[in-house]
Amino acid sequence: LFFSPFLWKRAWFNRFLETAQKWGPVGKVVEATMLYRHHPRTIVAAVFISAISIFGITVLYFLHGTSLGIPLEKARYFFVVPMGVVASAIPLLPGGIGVGQVAFYTLFKWVGATPEHGATLWTLFQLHTILFNCAGFLFYLKHKHKTHPIPAAL
């Protein structure tokens, strides 16, 4: 709807965008979004990739929960995990330390599961993320090229 030509032709919508750009962080988001208004395929691709990512994270959570014997239905994982991931992105503490644990603790409590399992699953997910990202260092070392000095201008 935001990228609809119908909206962009309306004066009230353009006035709203001009006002929203002055709202600090919200303005930066509006400004960045406006840069992509003529690239709907890029937006659709980004949303599609995000959906695949969230689906994968949810399946990983389900597999971890099943292997730990956590009695939670698949449908509840598909409710809890996306909300918890979004909540964990809120920068409440330095480095986001503990935000995901509290978010998943609370969400698991809301759906009637053992709250400690939610915090444990988030910590396990963080551990997997760190280990996966550290594996990239091996590729960096293998494919690192020596840099050559730039010749001085004549």
Side-chain angles (χ1 to χ4, degrees), residues 11-86:
W12 62 268
F13 185 69
N14 288 313
R15 283 193 306 272
F16 168 74
L17 289 176
E18 288 174 15
T19 304
Q21 285 180 327
K22 299 174 187 171
W23 295 343
V26 174
K28 290 180 181 180
V29 171
V30 169
E31 198 173 310
T33 306
M34 289 174 60
L35 291 173
Y36 286 97
R37 73 176 180 243
H38 298 300
H39 303 282
R41 289 174 56 173
T42 303
I43 297 298
V44 169
V47 169
F48 181 71
I49 291 169
S50 295
I52 289 173
S53 174
I54 287 294
F55 180 79
I57 291 170
T58 305
V59 169
L60 183 65
Y61 256 77
F62 174 74
L63 293 174
H64 285 179
T66 303
S67 67
L68 292 174
I70 297 172
L72 193 64
E73 300 86 25
K74 285 182 197 175
R76 292 192 185 210
Y77 278 104
F78 280 95
F79 170 74
V80 168
V81 173
M83 289 181 59
V85 170
V86 169

Side-chain angles (χ1 to χ4, degrees), residues 86-148:
V86 169
S88 69
I90 300 170
L92 297 176
L93 298 170
I97 299 170
V99 175
Q101 281 79 0
V102 171
F104 279 97
Y105 181 94
T106 305
L107 288 167
F108 268 61
K109 189 175 181 179
W110 287 354
V111 297
T114 307
E116 289 82 8
H117 288 154
T120 300
L121 283 175
W122 178 252
T123 304
L124 187 59
F125 176 73
Q126 285 179 321
L127 180 64
H128 277 135
T129 303
I130 290 168
L131 291 175
F132 180 77
N133 291 341
C134 286
F137 184 68
L138 299 174
F139 291 101
Y140 170 76
L141 288 177
K142 183 178 179 183
H143 298 289
K144 185 174 107 174
H145 299 294
K146 292 183 180 181
T147 58
H148 300 288

